[in-house]
Amino acid sequence: SAACTAMFLIVLNRWRTDQTIEFIRSKRQIAFFPSANFLRSIQQFEHLFYTEILPKAQNKSVSIDSL
């Protein structure tokens, strides 16, 4: 789904939700039409990624790319 793709791109590219949705829409206009499905879930994932997942990975000297 577009929502799963968005979450993947947030991790891979370190993008924010709005940037990610804009990118996906530029590649597939029907995505998130008429509005972003699961927007709250994507935003919650972004918050969790930047506040908990990424800092823990950095503290453990683990590359997030290897996760």
Side-chain angles (χ1 to χ4, degrees):
S1 77
C4 291
T5 301
M7 292 178 200
F8 173 77
L9 290 172
I10 288 170
V11 172
L12 182 68
N13 297 317
R14 308 294 196 273
W15 288 348
R16 297 293 179 183
T17 299
D18 57 340
Q19 182 181 13
T20 304
I21 290 173
E22 183 179 319
F23 175 79
I24 292 170
R25 277 192 173 157
S26 76
K27 302 300 179 188
R28 183 154 170 84
Q29 287 92 12
I30 197 169
F32 304 115
F33 183 79
S35 63
N37 305 348
F38 303 105
L39 179 60
R40 186 171 292 145
S41 295
I42 298 167
Q43 290 170 329
Q44 288 173 340
F45 173 79
E46 176 195 349
H47 177 75
L48 180 69
F49 176 71
Y50 283 108
T51 61
E52 294 185 31
I53 298 170
L54 190 58
K56 285 181 183 177
Q58 291 171 337
N59 286 341
K60 293 183 180 182
S61 299
V62 173
S63 170
I64 193 73
D65 298 324
S66 67
L67 298 176

